[in-house]
Amino acid sequence: MARQTGSMKASVAVENHAHALRHQIAAVVFRPLEEVCFSQTRRTIKVFQKRQTLQRALHFCRVVGGILAVPKTAKENALVYEASRDQAEYCSGNVGFSYLWLGANDQAVERTWRYWESETPLTWENTWRGTGPNGGAMENCLVMLYGVYPGYWSDIACLDTYSFCVPCEFDELPVMYLKGPALCESSPFNQKYLLGEMHDGQPSLKGFFHTDIYWNSTMGVWILQSIKVAAWAVWEPKRGVHYPLGTHQWKVMSVLCGLEVGTIANLTLSVCGQGMFTCEDGTCISLQKRCDLRVDCPDQSDEYQCSLIDVPQDYQNNIPPQSTALNQSLAIHFTINIISFPSVATQDLTFVTTFQLLLRWRDPRLSYLNLKTDRTLNIISEDNKKRIWTPRVFFSNAHGNVFTNLNQGSRVECVQEGSSVVGGPHHTREVNIFSGYENSLEMGQLYSVTYSCDFELLMFPFDAQVCKMKFMLVSASASYMTLVPTLANYTGKTSLIEYSIGHLTMRTLPNEEFSSIAVEVRFMRRYGFYLLTLYIPTTLLMLIAYATLYFNPDDFNSRIVVALTSLLVLSSLFTQLVDVWLFFSIVMIFNVVMLQTLADFSQQAILNKGGRLAKAFKKIRKFLRELGNNKDTGVDTPVQDLRTSGDIITHIKAAEEDGHEKPWAANGNNWHREEPSRLPVYGRAFRRKNWSENKDVNMSLMMFSRIILPVIFCIFNACYWGAAIV
């Protein structure tokens, strides 16, 4: 309630002051140049009558462009004391005789006093209270006393619980700059100020020409007043007396710069010159540290409101910008950075690629603020991305309807290409402005897309494929804007499992309604991959099938089963991409199967009366008949043996009447001879000494096959690899 009452009284006082000001100014007044120049060049100590802790006092003096003062002579010490003695009781806080901080300490070496800022020793010391500093290591800070110790020095503990008034010293008075919307070209307020004389207990500020800034204790406000015309503004501190450095909300009390009476405008007052940024508390930092993702201001205000782009109120993001070149279409510079090819599916005639697409253009309608050389700091926020125009590109031959987008992961950044100009004083915050005529915008996004490609497999696997990635600018026709090929780059592995990546080319597609670009990628098939996965396995299968020609000629089952198994394995392993080599491999094994069959059956007629099939049925009947006789006579099962003559002998061993076995003589009557016959046998049990005597297998055809198949294989390989190399 008390706060509201005070504000109402201040408002009434402000209105009365405005009425008096209108009658006071009768002529144009300019401040003499000599007064300004003389004030700026002399050494000065100003006492700011606001109690602050030591750290705040050191910071405050830096904000106003000076350092915490230490008088260098007895005369200076006396002047400081006389200028502040009237407020000494307030400055002390009624806790003793200490009332002014002085800018020295003896923390490093006891009783060796050094400046806080430069750490150089003092060249002069004033009269001390008592016998001198006596606080030891507990009291390392320096203060000025009043009362019974007028102007004396004393040491004191450097505690935040102590608050005293602050004297700041200046070798040259710093120039202070006023910025904000009330400082247009026709503004009645000055832009530059110097510290002036004391006014109502606080140092005032004098403009270079016709403006003053001073404290009015009656109204409880700081007043910005032109002595040229009746124009002024006020700022009411929220808590006690506070010097108007930094950024504050001033109430405009006159019509000026398009602002109505009562408008609240943010005005900034600081000693920060060109290339510097003013924190809200008045601290100066380099403008390059503004919005660099690192906090540099004590109040963190350097990372507030980090907008990089100035969008006019009448800007329409559905209308493309005009070209910066006269009578030419808008150029959209196209850059593609291919990262990888996760999949190249020859059988599906597709390939998958991951790439970054960059589109760069200029928009003269926009201005950019405080661009950095580090481009990662020039990325536009998500809100601003939606407010500006961006090009739209269609991926023509990709699977699905794929367009460029501003989805998650996309970025739009300002590219610093031209020089900047310093923002005018009507900007509350210091800015470097970059024009959209000279600086570009760049949109980037990462895509993973499946493309179609017409693979030419006539020379597989010695082929080299050229696949295209087509892009079409659909924001407007080619007469309004064009895609300009800039760079096509591949940063991934050049050697994939099946292919090697060759060079990339990029060209503009002619005679298109919309501007289009084709990026051509060359895939060269790797021979080593197919040596391991195709040529060596198929060659081994052909060798296995060929080896059956050296099996026992009497063992037809083994020969034909191994050959057929090789053919089946070859067919099952390679069901896709049937080329000349694979077809040749299948034909070779098929020929082995056919030759094995012809060699075995070409020597005999199978179905005639004396043929092999008839003999087989005859032997089966005879075997069954003998088996029935054995059951009646109690003889053992026949056992076969092979004599050196090659005849097949059946040995029947009868049982003794007393049940004991008795060996038979080799030339006994119980041996009987059968006609030589060829039964189905396996392994080496019936291997002949001389295969040429075998009348059941066409050994001539077998020998011919052993020779002709390697000859065919060698001739084919000579032609095949010769054509591949050429």
Side-chain angles (χ1 to χ4, degrees):
M1 186 67 181
R3 176 70 176 173
Q4 294 178 354
T5 303
S7 299
M8 292 177 62
K9 291 181 179 179
S11 299
V12 173
V14 167
E15 294 297 332
N16 294 334
H17 183 81
H19 180 74
L21 182 64
R22 295 187 188 98
H23 293 83
Q24 178 181 351
I25 299 176
V28 176
V29 178
F30 290 96
R31 182 164 286 113
L33 183 62
E34 295 79 6
E35 180 182 346
V36 176
C37 295
F38 177 74
S39 299
Q40 187 178 6
T41 56
R42 63 187 179 185
R43 171 178 164 81
T44 307
I45 296 179
K46 295 287 185 179
V47 179
F48 295 87
Q49 297 178 6
K50 181 180 185 303
R51 291 197 303 269
Q52 301 188 61
T53 63
L54 174 64
Q55 295 302 321
R56 288 184 176 272
L58 292 169
H59 173 71
F60 178 79
C61 287
R62 286 193 291 266
V63 167
V64 296
I67 61 174
L68 190 58
V70 178
K72 293 184 176 181
T73 63
K75 182 179 180 180
E76 278 190 3
N77 195 82
L79 290 174
V80 171
Y81 177 72
E82 291 297 328
S84 58
R85 61 184 297 181
D86 293 341
Q87 297 293 327
E89 186 175 349
Y90 161 78
C91 292
S92 69
N94 296 319
V95 294
F97 297 112
S98 301
Y99 81 106
L100 286 183
W101 289 111
L102 297 180
N105 69 90
D106 65 345
Q107 290 180 343
V109 179
E110 180 64 20
R111 304 197 72 166
T112 300
W113 295 90
R114 298 176 181 272
Y115 289 99
W116 278 103
E117 301 295 338
S118 63
E119 297 184 356
T120 57
L122 299 185
T123 58
W124 176 83
E125 294 183 11
N126 191 32
T127 304
W128 292 87
R129 180 178 62 178
T131 59
N134 56 7
M138 301 300 295
E139 297 180 349
N140 295 316
C141 287
L142 185 62
V143 293
M144 182 179 287
L145 307 178
Y146 78 103
V148 296
Y149 304 103
Y152 287 20
W153 290 3
S154 177
D155 56 349
I156 194 172
C158 303
L159 301 177
D160 288 339
T161 55
Y162 294 133
S163 294
F164 306 122
C165 290
V166 183
C168 298
E169 67 175 67
F170 310 89
D171 291 333
E172 293 183 358
L173 287 179
V175 177
M176 297 190 180
Y177 302 89
L178 183 65
K179 298 175 282 289
L183 275 294
C184 60
E185 292 184 0
S186 60
S187 174
F189 301 138
N190 294 155
Q191 300 175 13
K192 299 179 180 180
Y193 297 82
L194 294 175
L195 284 169
E197 68 278 357
M198 300 295 291
H199 188 285
D200 213 351
Q202 293 292 336
S204 63
L205 293 172
K206 293 183 177 181
F208 274 26
F209 299 104
H210 46 70
T211 307
D212 289 331
I213 301 176
Y214 56 90
W215 171 249
N216 188 312
S217 59
T218 303
M219 299 166 56
V221 295
W222 283 89
I223 297 177
L224 170 63
Q225 175 184 333
S226 172
I227 59 177
K228 175 183 177 181
V229 296
W232 61 303
V234 297
W235 170 62
E236 181 182 359
K238 294 182 179 179
R239 292 183 180 179
V241 179
H242 183 68
Y243 216 64
L245 292 171
T247 302
H248 301 287
Q249 293 182 339
W250 292 72
K251 185 176 182 180
V252 178
M253 306 304 297
S254 307
V255 178
L256 51 88
C257 297
L259 303 176
E260 300 295 332
V261 175
T263 302
I264 303 299
N266 287 329
L267 301 182
T268 298
L269 180 65
S270 71
V271 297
C272 306
Q274 186 173 354
M276 304 297 289
F277 173 76
T278 303
C279 305
E280 287 191 358
D281 66 350
T283 305
C284 298
I285 63 172
S286 172
L287 189 55
Q288 289 298 319
K289 295 182 178 181
R290 164 86 163 127
C291 297
D292 62 351
L293 304 181
R294 294 183 177 91
V295 175
D296 298 291
C297 289
D299 55 5
Q300 304 183 10
S301 57
D302 58 315
E303 300 301 320
Y304 295 163
Q305 300 177 357
C306 292
S307 178
L308 293 171
I309 188 168
D310 184 14
V311 182
Q313 293 183 353
D314 58 349
Y315 185 91
Q316 298 186 42
N317 60 4
N318 61 331
I319 300 178
Q322 299 295 320
S323 173
T324 55
L326 186 63
N327 297 326
Q328 293 185 10
S329 58
L330 178 66
I332 309 294
H333 295 273
F334 182 96
T335 299
I336 185 171
N337 181 23
I338 300 178
I339 300 172
S340 65
F341 292 95
S343 173
V344 181
T346 308
Q347 63 274 16
D348 297 332
L349 302 181
T350 61
F351 67 95
V352 179
T353 177
T354 301
F355 60 91
Q356 182 188 39
L357 185 62
L358 302 175
L359 302 174
R360 182 181 294 190
W361 71 99
R362 289 182 178 177
D363 194 337
R365 300 171 294 178
L366 301 175
S367 297
Y368 313 115
L369 312 177
N370 300 325
L371 298 184
K372 309 292 192 302
T373 54
D374 184 358
R375 290 181 52 179
T376 60
L377 300 176
N378 297 337
I379 298 177
I380 296 176
S381 65
E382 294 293 329
D383 293 337
N384 282 332
K385 281 197 302 186
K386 299 176 182 178
R387 297 176 59 193
I388 64 175
W389 178 89
T390 54
R392 188 170 175 83
V393 174
F394 174 57
F395 302 175
S396 305
N397 62 328
H399 285 195
N401 294 324
V402 184
F403 293 84
T404 53
N405 57 71
L406 293 176
N407 296 338
Q408 185 176 5
S410 66
R411 62 174 179 81
V412 178
E413 68 179 47
C414 305
V415 182
Q416 180 181 346
E417 296 172 323
S419 58
S420 64
V421 295
V422 179
H426 61 282
H427 292 278
T428 302
R429 298 174 180 270
E430 295 87 349
V431 292
N432 288 329
I433 301 176
F434 295 80
S435 172
Y437 282 93
E438 299 177 350
N439 301 273
S440 301
L441 289 169
E442 184 174 88
M443 180 178 71
Q445 175 67 299
L446 193 67
Y447 301 92
S448 184
V449 184
T450 301
Y451 280 94
S452 300
C453 181
D454 296 329
F455 288 86
E456 298 291 342
L457 302 177
L458 181 62
M459 292 301 297
F460 176 88
F462 303 101
D463 55 325
Q465 307 295 336
V466 178
C467 297
K468 296 180 180 179
M469 303 163 58
K470 296 181 180 180
F471 302 89
M472 179 184 296
L473 180 62
V474 295
S475 297
S477 64
S479 59
Y480 288 94
M481 58 184 64
T482 57
L483 285 176
V484 179
T486 303
L487 178 64
N489 186 34
Y490 177 65
T491 58
K493 294 182 178 179
T494 56
S495 297
L496 307 180
I497 295 178
E498 190 175 354
Y499 291 94
S500 294
I501 307 301
H503 62 278
L504 275 65
T505 58
M506 185 165 51
R507 59 186 179 87
T508 302
L509 298 179
N511 303 323
E512 297 284 345
E513 180 182 0
F514 295 93
S515 179
S516 300
I517 280 180
V519 179
E520 297 180 347
V521 184
R522 184 177 179 85
F523 296 101
M524 296 176 292
R525 208 177 296 271
R526 298 180 61 189
Y527 305 147
F529 173 80
Y530 286 96
L531 284 175
L532 296 176
T533 60
L534 177 65
Y535 293 106
I536 293 178
T538 53
T539 301
L540 292 176
L541 289 174
M542 285 189 286
L543 287 175
I544 292 173
Y546 176 75
T548 60
L549 297 175
Y550 293 89
F551 284 15
N552 187 352
D554 292 318
D555 193 357
F556 174 74
N557 288 345
S558 297
R559 289 186 284 116
I560 198 66
V561 167
V562 173
L564 286 174
T565 301
S566 300
L567 183 61
L568 291 175
V569 171
L570 180 63
S571 301
S572 62
L573 290 180
F574 305 99
T575 58
Q576 299 174 341
L577 302 179
V578 178
D579 68 327
V580 177
W581 175 269
L582 185 56
F583 179 75
F584 169 75
S585 302
I586 294 174
V587 170
M588 285 291 289
I589 298 179
F590 177 77
N591 287 336
V592 171
V593 174
M594 296 303 299
L595 289 172
Q596 293 281 20
T597 304
L598 290 175
D600 199 71
F601 289 94
S602 62
Q603 289 294 91
Q604 50 188 304
I606 299 177
L607 299 177
N608 59 12
K609 184 176 181 180
R612 186 172 181 178
L613 188 59
K615 289 182 179 181
F617 282 113
K618 183 177 180 180
K619 288 183 178 293
I620 292 173
R621 289 196 302 271
K622 182 178 180 181
F623 175 76
L624 293 176
R625 185 170 56 254
E626 292 178 353
L627 183 62
N629 293 334
N630 288 341
K631 290 181 180 180
D632 296 335
T633 59
V635 297
D636 290 341
T637 304
V639 178
Q640 297 179 351
D641 194 7
L642 184 64
R643 294 293 182 179
T644 56
S645 62
D647 296 336
I648 299 176
I649 306 300
T650 303
H651 179 203
I652 307 297
K653 183 172 66 174
E656 293 285 350
E657 294 180 358
D658 57 0
H660 297 284
E661 296 182 357
K662 182 177 181 180
W664 295 81
N667 56 356
N669 294 329
N670 288 323
W671 291 97
H672 65 277
R673 181 182 300 274
E674 290 186 356
E675 294 295 328
S677 62
R678 186 168 178 268
L679 297 178
V681 292
Y682 302 92
R684 302 178 59 87
F686 293 92
R687 184 173 297 278
R688 302 175 185 272
K689 284 188 175 182
N690 189 358
W691 282 348
S692 62
E693 298 177 358
N694 193 332
K695 305 300 182 181
D696 296 322
V697 178
N698 190 341
M699 295 305 298
S700 298
L701 181 59
M702 188 75 73
M703 297 299 295
F704 175 77
S705 301
R706 296 174 183 175
I707 298 173
I708 193 62
L709 290 178
V711 172
I712 295 174
F713 182 82
C714 293
I715 294 174
F716 172 80
N717 274 270
C719 298
Y720 181 82
W721 293 104
I725 294 174
V726 173

